[in-house]
Each structure stands twice: as structure tokens, then as C-alpha cells.
Amino acid sequence: MTDWLEIVSAVLGLGCVVLAGRNSKYNFWVGYVYNIFLFLLFWRQKLIAAMVLQPVSLCINIYGHYRWTHPAENERSASDPTSLKVSRLSSREWSGLLLVALVFGSALGGFLSEKTGDPSPWLDSYILMLTFLAQYMSAIKCVECWIVWLVVNAANLALYLSSGLVLMPIVSGLYLANGVWSLISWKKLHGNGQ
């Protein structure tokens, strides 16, 4: 059954990703509150890795907020010199970041499967590591973050369904749609030096 905690989390999450996809710095303010509500929601559902993600996510949001609003001179958007422009990763950077996420996901999955009551330890662990990766890439404003977000949201859809949540799977579906739109939008922004 859906309750107020899941509803508020869903609304905040949708607001945050829609603002991020539209290249709005205000996504971070919504994201700060979203982290708090998700922490409480996942604590109640006993999704340990997803719960642990929230304090770390808050730190990444603070870093991203600073990066988006304090770009170096060569990182400034063509349309707004106070904003970080959208960038791309090299294939070497992309591969290295994916490898790190997979290695740490495997280690955490092993730990959670043996030491906790997490109902989906491997899926929860890989989602956690890919979420860290997507958040970091979002913080430095890389187009490729939206590819990782698409994978994360598809996996979250399965995780939330398996843990009995009602509204969060619908939200994950909406995140998927926003991710496709945002990927296209950020590619255009990158092409325009924004």
C-alpha cells in the first residue's frame, strides 16, 4: 500500500530529475530534501544499500551543486558563464568508471548477501554503485550520465517491484522517459557549447 512517505519521495524525485534534465541548477535544492525522504523510505523497507546511498548522494549533490555554479574558465557554458557546460567522457574514462562501479558492486553484493537481511543484495549493490557513477557524472555534467541513469532506473523498477513498493516503480518508469529526453537534450547542449 502506498503511504505519504512514498508519495512525497516520488514527487521530490520527479521534480529533481526533471529539473536536472532541463539543465536547471535548482535540481540540487530539491535533491537535498529528496535524499532525506529516500533514506527514511529505504530504511523502512530494509533496502540497506539504497539507504546507505542517501548520505553519500547528499555529498555528491553538494559537490555537483558547487561544480554547476562555479565552473573553471574553460568549462563555462556559452550561454551562461556562471554555469558549467555539458561535457563528454573519453572512452578510456568511461571504461574506467564502469569497471570501478562493477568491482565495488561485486564486493558489496557479496557482503550484503552474507551479512544482512537485504532481500535483493546483488541487484541492490549494483544499483548502488551505478547510482554513484551516474551521480558523479551528473555532478560533472557529462552527457553519458543519462545512459547510466537509464540502466539504474530500469534496475530500480525491478528492485522496487520485488520489495513491494507501489508508487516507486511508476516513478522509475517516468524516470526512464525523462532519461531518454534528457539524453537527447544534453547531447544538443553539448553540441552548442552549453
Side-chain angles (χ1 to χ4, degrees), residues 128-190:
L128 173 69
M129 291 305 145
L130 289 174
T131 300
F132 284 152
L133 176 60
Q135 287 183 328
Y136 171 73
M137 292 167 68
S138 297
I140 61 173
K141 223 176 201 181
C142 291
V143 169
E144 294 85 1
C145 75
W146 294 108
I147 296 168
V148 181
W149 280 126
L150 290 171
V151 172
V152 166
N153 290 316
N156 272 335
L157 187 68
L159 179 65
Y160 296 154
L161 286 170
S162 71
S163 67
L165 294 170
V166 176
L167 190 56
M168 293 307 286
I170 295 167
V171 171
S172 289
L174 294 172
Y175 286 169
L176 283 169
N178 182 71
V180 171
W181 187 92
S182 298
L183 177 61
I184 294 166
S185 175
W186 278 33
K187 281 183 178 182
K188 288 178 187 174
L189 289 171
H190 178 262

Side-chain angles (χ1 to χ4, degrees), residues 14-27 30 68 178:
L14 286 169
C16 184
V17 299
V18 167
L19 288 169
R22 272 75 184 159
N23 200 25
S24 172
K25 299 173 213 176
Y26 297 109
N27 81 82
V30 176
W68 278 39
N178 182 71

Side-chain angles (χ1 to χ4, degrees), residues 6-167:
E6 191 176 359
I7 292 168
V8 172
S9 297
V11 170
L12 288 168
L14 286 169
C16 184
V17 299
V18 167
L19 288 169
R22 272 75 184 159
N23 200 25
S24 172
K25 299 173 213 176
Y26 297 109
N27 81 82
F28 295 102
W29 295 108
V30 176
Y32 298 144
V33 179
Y34 181 47
N35 288 140
I36 294 166
F37 277 87
L38 281 183
F39 181 88
L40 297 172
L41 177 66
F42 294 140
W43 178 24
R44 185 187 66 198
Q45 296 301 119
K46 303 204 182 329
L47 294 173
I48 308 303
M51 181 185 73
V52 169
L53 167 65
Q54 301 318 307
V56 177
S57 178
L58 181 63
C59 292
I60 295 171
N61 279 343
I62 292 167
Y63 170 72
H65 196 176
Y66 181 81
R67 289 284 291 131
W68 278 39
T69 57
H70 295 83
E73 192 167 327
N74 64 334
E75 298 175 327
R76 293 181 179 156
S77 170
S79 64
D80 179 3
T82 65
S83 292
L84 182 67
K85 68 181 175 183
V86 176
S87 62
R88 300 290 305 250
L89 293 175
S90 70
S91 56
R92 184 182 177 127
E93 292 169 321
W94 182 224
S95 300
L97 288 170
L98 280 175
L99 180 61
V100 168
L102 293 175
V103 167
F104 278 97
S106 295
L108 182 60
F111 173 79
L112 290 179
S113 67
E114 292 180 22
K115 306 289 184 187
T116 71
D118 191 320
S120 305
W122 294 99
L123 182 59
D124 204 8
S125 298
Y126 286 118
I127 289 172
L128 173 69
M129 291 305 145
L130 289 174
T131 300
F132 284 152
L133 176 60
Q135 287 183 328
Y136 171 73
M137 292 167 68
S138 297
I140 61 173
K141 223 176 201 181
C142 291
V143 169
E144 294 85 1
C145 75
W146 294 108
I147 296 168
V148 181
W149 280 126
L150 290 171
V151 172
V152 166
N153 290 316
N156 272 335
L157 187 68
L159 179 65
Y160 296 154
L161 286 170
S162 71
S163 67
L165 294 170
V166 176
L167 190 56

